[in-house]
Amino acid sequence: MFWRQMDIPVLASVDVIVAGATCGGAAAALRAVDMGQSAFVISSQPYLGEDVCGTYQGLFEPPDGDHPLLNSMFPAEASPSPFQVKKALEDKLVDRDIPFLYSSQVVDLLFNQDNSPAGVVIANRTGMEAILGSVVIDCTPLAAAAKRAGVNMVNVGGGETAFRFITVGNHSQSSLQNRPLPRAAVQNGEEFPVREYIYRQVLHDWSYPEVCRVEQKMRSEIWDYDQIDAADSMFYVPPFQIEAASSMDAEMPQEAGHAVDALRPENTVGIFVLGPCMSADRGLVPTLLQPKNAIQLGEFVGAAAAEESKQRTAEPVGGGPSSANTTASVDGNIEIAPAVLRPGFSERTVVAGGRDIPVVGEYDVVIMGGGTAGANAAIGAARHGAKTLVMEYLHSLGGTGTAGYIGRYWDGFREGFTKEIDDGVSSMAPEDHPRQKKDKYSEWDVVWKSEWYRQEALKAHADIWYGVMGCGAVVDNDTVKGVLTATSHGLGVVLGQIIIDSTGSGDIAIAAGADYGYTDNQTVAVQGAGLSPANLGDHYNNTDWTFIDDSDVFDVTRLFAAGKAKYGGSYDIGKLPQTRERRRIVGEHEVSVLDILNHRTYEDTISFHMSSFDTHGFTIHPFFTIKPPLERHSIYEADVPLRSLLPRGLQNIVVTGLGASAHRDAMPVIRMQPCLQNQGYSVGYLASAAVSQGTSVQELDLKQVQAYLVEKGILPRRVLEDTEGFHFTEAEFADAVGRLTDNFSGLEVLLTDEDRARRFLKKALADAATDEQRCACAQVLAMLGEADGIEYVLNAVEAHTEWDEGWDYTGMGQFGPCMSPLDSLLIALGESKGTDVLPAILAKAQLLTPDDAFSHFRAAAWACETIGSPDAAPALARLLSHDGFSGHHVTTVKQARDGAVPERNDVSQRNRVLKELHVARALYRCGDHQGRAAEILHNYARDLHGHYFRHAWGILQE
């Protein structure tokens, strides 16, 4: 596949780029900065220490040597843990102001006029970005960056390769060669044995699929139900290395010169290799990469890189040499979503691309994302005969319910395939095992569940690739034909007849051109999120202390730094952000709040959902502005049609989970794990049926699919007879209007047809016998943009001589109202858009103090900005002038780390920011006052919180 040339935004320009965040890479960056040069570190993982914390090599063996960095990673008084290593390395970089990014793969090199490296291109969920630099230190497992530079690789063996994998807790019954490691993993005084297993195999094809097959075979051979933790990835030394001026063949060199010569590819400048492909005896490499030696080598190469960078400039003129594509070509283009970056980053671009990308796999069904829906989609497709591949960025399946440590259901429909999962997970170990849960249909062991998914997918003959980032799509006109992937081997294309986007954020669909909804200039409402600590044996660490944009690599990096500051002393930290709301594609149908409240049915229902409105935040839908969601334990049922999983305008792609087409206020009802597990399996089955019948998903006979899902217990039998939509009669509308004074009962009916609602409401207003009836009609009319009877709403507002009890953002338990009755009335005044009501709104705003509830600030700001009168500006500016009310933006990782609040479900920071943003937005739209609003919005346009940035920058671009 040909990747055409494209403009890539530049994130930074530094002297030394470290590709791969190993402990040696961190040491190299630190040494380069010590010598007065700048550095940037890129990690493919959500942590630093990819070597130690990714493979566990050296983690559970006594550190040999004395070095400040080594001592911080392995303090003498502490038991070894991934958390300590990750935080030690991160703190060193943060304290030295060395920038780094997590969850990013180096996928290309940039070159200057003499054809030597001038920077790198990285891929992540934000898109693709460039970092300019005159020297690149390649710490990746297979020297991917050096290969892109055209470095010569020398085969130094053709025999067996030893693949090593480390687990915690396992007993040693595997037939593989294994050894106990000298140090145990410790949790609350209990010791868990650690073992290294070795699997030997000759690999003639060192492609990513082949390495993944070895990994899955090894995991299957090793796993047992006592396993409580494991490395993310295998460690191995490939039988090839760079061609260099010298080689390390006997022992760790003590002199920098000899070491650097073995790390510098021959006849090249601007690149060093500090990883398994270094020029060294293959048997010596594991010793050289132990933490002590890796740090020493890192300091050697960091010093050499710093000196070399002083002699060179990084002014790129284009990409590197083309890589050959030996696979048959396919019609279509590689499409990559443009990176949405903060102001200041995207002011310059460079050209990348213009080369072939190898096709690394061809399947019937390709699933990007192996989480709550994706793992089940793989099983559903493969069990029914489709050649299936599931690719996952992390190194386990199951997503939120496994790697996310939400090992307990909240609400949700627990029959169908979900019941099979729950039965299967509990059968992974004896009934008397100490990690068995009392109620297997409510909670589970996260390690067992992940393994159940893996075993079931393999049993059905699906392929599993871990460590894969989906960064683009292959599109032919409006048909999606494949996924562009980024791995430790570089870029590759996987082709499929049906693509299932289970990224949870519509990543592949959006890259293919799908429109989507998210926080923007209109709203910053998003469900609260978090990141959990991860201790051995944990299964449920539910948190809500921040807002996270999964698609923003800067936000994700900020999150992991703040998380480690919160959870000191943990064994590890979670690798998956606990987000409840992400990007939602615009589908053929958007599931709305009214669809749920009115029990809308469809002819193409594909999944069935049950939940309360577990909002984890505040709502924005007009219905909830007048009539809030019911309290906890009020369960709503909802159908989701296939149309809501199909991105508008695209063929052959289905989007599952949180990426589905739904109003953000409807998502809390349709995002529960048991429902999405069923949905994933259903979509997998649907895809297999389309492949077997040689048709598109859109053209498939869905009734046959639904019949199977009904028999499977996934869908209620009624869906086979359901008709489309809801249709309310004139009599039902009249009845709904008559019930408004009963806590706005019937509002869900009226809002299904706004024109008809206006007609009925205006007649009811004229015929009303009481002011209560008139006010209710007028309040709904105001929300529909009509000013009829607004004087009755105004009277109700003025009857309040002070603010009533408002609502503040809380970390958990966000059920029921998110605004007070007075808040709702004020918003209605604003929606009427009459300037004659502004004095009443401003009178209430004058009463506010910084400690008042967020909902009051939101209501006053909403009303003012909707009217948009400059007369509101002085009052809004006064609110911003209160001491401590403004200035809560976070623009550096150091700020994020040092400002982290230890409490697991902290709300203080969010409430302060939300007040400031809402008032500043209103002031800006009312004409600003002495530039105060613009200043605040520009500050938040640089904030590391992705949602704050998107909101503020969107307003400034209006």
Side-chain angles (χ1 to χ4, degrees):
M1 288 297 302
F2 186 73
W3 175 27
R4 65 183 183 276
Q5 286 192 335
M6 59 186 299
D7 290 334
I8 301 289
V10 175
L11 294 184
S13 181
V14 295
D15 299 310
V16 177
I17 300 170
V18 179
T22 61
C23 60
L30 290 164
R31 176 52 61 90
V33 171
D34 283 343
M35 297 182 64
Q37 300 299 91
S38 57
F40 200 116
V41 179
I42 304 151
S43 177
S44 65
Q45 301 299 323
Y47 50 78
L48 300 175
E50 293 179 9
D51 49 348
V52 177
C53 300
T55 68
Y56 283 3
Q57 290 292 312
L59 181 61
F60 295 103
E61 302 192 56
D64 179 21
D66 182 25
H67 186 283
L69 183 57
L70 187 70
N71 295 341
S72 66
M73 295 163 58
F74 301 99
E77 69 281 2
S79 301
S81 73
F83 184 96
Q84 181 61 41
V85 174
K86 294 173 183 178
K87 182 161 176 55
L89 293 173
E90 186 176 82
D91 283 345
K92 293 292 186 182
L93 296 189
V94 171
D95 289 341
R96 297 298 306 276
D97 295 319
I98 299 174
F100 57 90
L101 281 179
Y102 288 142
S103 304
S104 300
Q105 286 279 9
V106 174
V107 295
D108 209 357
L109 256 63
L110 302 169
F111 294 83
N112 59 20
Q113 289 183 334
D114 63 7
N115 207 34
S116 58
V120 299
V121 176
I122 61 176
N124 44 53
R125 296 188 74 176
T126 302
M128 286 190 180
E129 307 88 30
I131 302 170
L132 306 186
S134 55
V135 176
V136 176
I137 302 175
D138 185 345
C139 300
T140 62
L142 292 176
K147 289 177 182 176
R148 282 295 301 137
V151 166
N152 289 331
M153 305 298 290
V154 180
N155 288 321
V156 289
E160 293 180 332
T161 297
F163 295 90
R164 302 170 185 270
F165 192 71
I166 293 175
T167 66
V168 178
N170 296 56
H171 42 264
S172 58
Q173 294 179 355
S174 169
S175 62
L176 295 182
Q177 176 187 348
N178 65 87
R179 68 182 179 104
L181 298 187
R183 304 183 75 184
V186 180
Q187 185 69 59
N188 296 328
E190 182 178 2
E191 294 189 350
F192 296 89
V194 181
R195 305 191 77 85
E196 180 185 64
Y197 295 84
I198 302 176
Y199 173 71
R200 301 181 188 276
Q201 183 168 327
V202 177
L203 276 195
H204 299 292
D205 175 7
W206 276 85
S207 66
Y208 200 74
E210 283 303 310
V211 174
C212 288
R213 288 188 185 99
V214 170
E215 177 183 0
Q216 295 305 325
K217 186 173 183 178
M218 195 171 187
R219 286 177 180 269
S220 295
E221 180 67 27
I222 293 169
W223 192 86
D224 65 60
Y225 53 73
D226 284 331
Q227 182 172 310
I228 200 168
D229 186 31
D232 283 339
S233 53
M234 304 179 297
F235 173 80
Y236 51 89
V237 178
F240 46 83
Q241 65 185 40
I242 60 170
E243 185 176 29
S246 67
S247 179
M248 294 179 280
D249 294 328
E251 60 185 12
M252 171 68 187
Q254 299 305 308
E255 298 296 328
H258 179 51
V260 169
D261 286 342
L263 302 177
R264 186 201 305 271
E266 195 166 31
N267 301 320
T268 64
V269 293
I271 195 158
F272 297 86
V273 173
L274 179 57
C277 291
M278 65 176 70
S279 179
D281 181 88
R282 299 292 83 190
L284 180 63
V285 170
T287 300
L288 295 174
L289 293 180
Q290 286 293 303
K292 172 199 171 183
N293 293 330
I295 290 171
Q296 183 65 69
L297 289 174
E299 292 191 331
F300 288 162
V301 78
E307 287 298 330
E308 187 165 318
S309 70
K310 295 175 182 178
Q311 312 304 318
R312 304 184 65 248
T313 59
E315 190 56 41
V317 295
S322 175
S323 58
N325 180 5
T326 58
T327 309
S329 63
V330 62
D331 292 335
N333 297 313
I334 292 175
E335 303 291 347
I336 299 167
V340 181
L341 302 179
R342 288 154 182 75
F345 284 139
S346 54
E347 293 173 358
R348 180 184 178 187
T349 62
V350 294
V351 175
R355 66 182 180 94
D356 282 341
I357 304 297
V359 175
V360 294
E362 296 185 56
Y363 290 83
D364 296 332
V365 178
V366 174
I367 302 155
M368 187 64 245
T372 310
N376 298 285
I379 297 169
R383 279 187 180 179
H384 295 91
K387 182 184 178 184
T388 302
L389 168 67
V390 57
M391 299 180 286
E392 168 57 39
Y393 165 63
L394 297 177
H395 297 80
S396 63
L397 297 178
T400 295
T402 57
Y405 285 94
I406 309 296
R408 181 185 300 163
Y409 295 138
W410 188 239
D411 291 329
F413 179 62
R414 305 182 190 184
E415 298 299 321
F417 188 63
T418 282
K419 187 174 186 299
E420 180 181 339
I421 296 169
D422 298 337
D423 286 332
V425 171
S426 67
S427 69
M428 296 291 283
E431 292 183 1
D432 61 351
H433 194 283
R435 281 155 56 197
Q436 285 281 15
K437 308 306 174 191
K438 291 182 180 179
D439 182 359
K440 66 180 179 181
Y441 299 118
S442 294
E443 55 186 343
W444 55 88
D445 182 273
V446 297
V447 176
W448 298 348
K449 187 164 186 173
S450 177
E451 181 63 15
W452 186 87
Y453 280 135
R454 197 188 70 84
Q455 290 184 13
E456 288 299 311
L458 293 176
K459 189 187 303 180
H461 306 295
D463 285 345
I464 302 171
W465 298 356
Y466 290 151
V468 181
M469 187 175 297
C471 56
V474 177
V475 187
D476 183 17
N477 294 319
D478 61 354
T479 300
V480 182
K481 293 186 172 181
V483 178
L484 178 66
T485 66
T487 70
S488 58
H489 288 219
L491 291 175
V493 167
V494 180
L495 300 176
Q497 295 186 48
I498 304 293
I499 308 300
I500 300 177
D501 183 338
S502 290
T503 60
S505 194
D507 292 2
I508 308 306
I510 291 169
D515 198 4
Y516 64 95
Y518 211 26
T519 48
D520 54 17
N521 63 317
Q522 296 303 315
T523 181
V524 73
V526 65
Q527 294 183 60
L531 179 70
S532 75
N535 292 308
L536 295 171
D538 283 355
H539 80 287
Y540 184 73
N541 292 332
N542 200 359
T543 70
D544 181 349
W545 51 270
T546 188
F547 300 129
I548 306 162
D549 179 354
D550 301 73
S551 62
D552 186 333
V553 68
F554 297 95
D555 197 356
V556 169
T557 301
R558 181 274 313 172
L559 169 73
F560 283 103
K564 283 189 279 294
K566 291 176 75 75
Y567 301 132
S570 298
Y571 170 78
D572 203 353
I573 191 165
K575 303 180 183 80
L576 181 66
Q578 293 177 332
T579 46
R580 300 168 174 90
E581 180 177 347
R582 304 174 196 163
R583 298 186 296 189
R584 304 172 305 282
I585 56 119
V586 174
E588 299 297 335
H589 173 78
E590 180 186 79
V591 177
S592 74
V593 169
L594 300 178
D595 290 342
I596 295 173
L597 296 174
N598 289 302
H599 309 288
R600 181 169 185 164
T601 57
Y602 311 88
E603 293 180 353
D604 61 335
T605 294
I606 194 66
S607 58
F608 174 67
H609 304 252
M610 296 173 58
S611 178
S612 52
F613 277 96
D614 187 10
T615 60
H616 278 267
F618 57 93
T619 54
I620 62 173
H621 193 279
F623 176 87
F624 289 141
T625 304
I626 299 174
K627 183 177 173 62
L630 296 178
E631 296 285 354
R632 174 76 181 106
H633 301 305
S634 298
I635 302 298
Y636 300 81
E637 295 183 357
D639 293 351
V640 170
L642 176 60
R643 281 166 289 163
S644 293
L645 307 185
L646 303 180
R648 185 180 298 168
L650 294 176
Q651 302 289 316
N652 284 10
I653 184 168
V654 187
V655 177
T656 65
L658 300 189
S661 179
H663 188 279
R664 57 104 29 208
D665 286 350
M667 189 56 73
V669 173
I670 65 173
R671 66 169 171 79
M672 293 297 153
Q673 286 189 66
C675 306
L676 296 184
Q677 290 169 175
N678 276 329
Q679 183 190 86
Y681 183 87
S682 299
V683 168
Y685 173 76
L686 173 94
S688 71
V691 169
S692 66
Q693 296 178 29
T695 186
S696 70
V697 170
Q698 286 85 349
E699 296 168 337
L700 188 65
D701 182 354
L702 198 61
K703 287 303 174 186
Q704 292 183 6
V705 173
Q706 289 174 325
Y708 169 79
L709 299 178
V710 167
E711 293 306 311
K712 189 74 174 173
I714 292 174
L715 293 180
R717 188 163 296 276
R718 63 168 171 78
V719 302
L720 299 177
E721 307 295 333
D722 279 343
T723 56
E724 189 68 29
F726 39 61
H727 308 281
F728 295 107
T729 65
E730 294 284 289
E732 288 172 317
F733 255 69
D735 176 68
V737 171
R739 290 186 280 121
L740 287 181
T741 53
D742 181 16
N743 194 29
F744 292 97
S745 175
L747 181 62
E748 65 274 14
V749 173
L750 295 176
L751 294 185
T752 62
D753 186 339
E754 293 185 1
D755 288 339
R756 190 157 48 145
R758 290 184 179 93
R759 173 163 54 88
F760 273 87
L761 286 165
K762 289 181 179 182
K763 183 178 185 304
L765 178 65
D767 296 343
T770 67
D771 283 353
E772 181 187 15
Q773 293 171 327
R774 297 184 186 99
C775 185
C777 290
Q779 187 173 351
V780 179
L781 280 167
M783 294 305 298
L784 295 174
E786 302 288 341
D788 301 58
I790 196 64
E791 64 272 16
Y792 296 104
V793 179
L794 183 62
N795 291 340
V797 168
E798 291 178 337
H800 288 77
T801 58
E802 57 185 24
W803 284 98
D804 52 4
E805 183 178 354
W807 178 92
D808 272 320
Y809 205 103
T810 60
M812 302 286 272
Q814 301 275 317
F815 298 99
C818 64
M819 61 180 61
S820 71
L822 178 54
D823 294 332
S824 181
L825 291 168
L826 279 177
I827 291 171
L829 286 183
E831 289 294 331
S832 73
K833 300 180 177 60
T835 56
D836 54 329
V837 300
L838 186 60
I841 298 169
L842 297 180
K844 292 297 182 288
Q846 292 284 358
L847 300 176
L848 289 173
T849 67
D851 293 331
D852 283 322
F854 159 64
S855 69
H856 296 334
F857 285 94
R858 180 189 178 212
W862 182 336
C864 288
E865 71 175 296
T866 305
I867 296 171
S869 170
D871 293 342
L876 293 168
R878 184 189 66 82
L879 294 177
L880 291 171
S881 68
H882 284 294
D883 289 343
F885 193 84
S886 301
H888 304 297
H889 49 280
V890 174
T891 56
T892 68
V893 173
K894 183 180 287 186
Q895 277 183 291
R897 181 196 65 177
D898 295 346
V901 178
E903 204 279 312
R904 183 175 294 196
N905 295 309
D906 171 64
V907 297
S908 59
Q909 294 170 308
R910 284 180 289 185
N911 275 305
R912 287 192 289 265
V913 169
L914 289 172
K915 291 177 185 178
E916 183 182 4
L917 267 177
H918 278 79
V919 175
R921 181 183 74 192
L923 176 58
Y924 188 79
R925 289 175 172 163
C926 289
D928 211 343
H929 184 76
Q930 299 178 344
R932 182 64 177 133
E935 177 188 359
I936 290 172
L937 292 172
H938 276 290
N939 287 336
Y940 279 104
R942 297 181 294 110
D943 197 290
L944 293 183
H945 294 77
H947 293 292
Y948 302 159
F949 144 64
R950 291 171 58 84
H951 188 56
W953 187 235
I955 295 166
L956 291 169
Q957 297 304 297
E958 291 175 350

